[in-house]
């Protein structure tokens, strides 16, 4: 009788173990994919970080587009078919480091260390 009882308990334990293995395995797989959906290389956290980098890159792109347009406008004024005498005079004075006797030179402080726009500002003259 004791042998029958231990045999019955062993079969019940094996049956319960078999019934618990599949759901536990499925829970582990779901947990694995859920974790990597949030914290993985292409998860939600990484997506937020990439979106921040994209926004920063778009800001830099907009600044560079504005600078390029400004430079294109200045270059257009120096072309032979549409030469602007004031722009030509400004560039010649800037490159040759010359000024007219009647000119009043006002130096402007640079906004930051690598500011090229501040160094290209026209020299103010009194008329």
């Amino acid at each position: 009788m004791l042998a029958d009882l231990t045999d019955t308990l062993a079969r019940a334990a094996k049956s319960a173990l078999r019934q618990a293995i599949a759901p536990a395995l499925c829970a582990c797989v779901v947990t694995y994919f859920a974790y990597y959906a949030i914290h993985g290389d292409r998860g939600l956290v990484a997506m937020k970080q990439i979106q921040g980098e994209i926004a920063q890159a778009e800001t830099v792109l907009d600044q560079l587009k504005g600078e390029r347009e400004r430079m294109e406008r200045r270059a257009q004024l120096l072309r032979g078919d549409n030469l602007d005498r004031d722009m030509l005079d400004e560039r010649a004075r800037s490159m040759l480091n010359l000024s007219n006797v009647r000119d009043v030179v006002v130096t402007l402080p640079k906004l930051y260390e690598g500011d090229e726009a501040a160094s290209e500002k026209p020299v103010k003259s009194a008329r």
Side-chain angles (χ1 to χ4, degrees):
M1 177 159 149
L2 186 58
D4 288 335
L5 182 61
T6 57
D7 188 39
T8 305
L9 286 175
R11 277 188 276 145
K14 285 182 185 179
S15 176
L17 187 61
R18 285 184 190 147
Q19 289 177 357
I21 287 177
L25 187 61
C26 290
C28 289
V29 169
V30 168
T31 304
Y32 172 81
F33 284 114
Y35 176 80
Y36 280 101
I38 295 171
H39 296 287
D41 291 341
R42 294 188 174 105
L44 296 175
V45 174
M47 184 178 71
K48 286 289 187 185
Q49 182 181 3
I50 290 172
Q51 286 176 346
E53 290 175 7
I54 289 172
Q56 185 180 12
E58 285 176 348
T59 303
V60 170
L61 178 64
D62 290 340
Q63 290 173 349
L64 291 175
K65 281 183 180 179
E67 184 178 343
R68 180 179 178 181
E69 289 173 2
R70 182 185 60 82
M71 292 171 77
E72 284 178 354
R73 274 187 261 122
R74 290 179 61 91
Q76 180 67 28
L77 293 173
L78 291 173
R79 291 205 173 107
D81 58 339
N82 189 16
L83 186 62
D84 184 23
R85 292 186 186 274
D86 289 334
M87 182 64 71
L88 180 64
D89 184 51
E90 173 190 340
R91 291 304 301 159
R93 287 175 187 233
S94 173
M95 294 180 82
L96 297 174
N97 199 19
L98 297 175
S99 64
N100 195 340
V101 176
R102 297 179 297 163
D103 288 345
V104 176
V105 178
V106 178
T107 57
L108 300 173
K110 291 185 177 183
L111 298 177
Y112 58 91
E113 190 64 31
D115 189 12
E116 295 175 12
S119 65
E120 292 182 359
K121 297 220 178 194
V123 177
K124 306 265 180 175
S125 62
R127 292 188 182 192

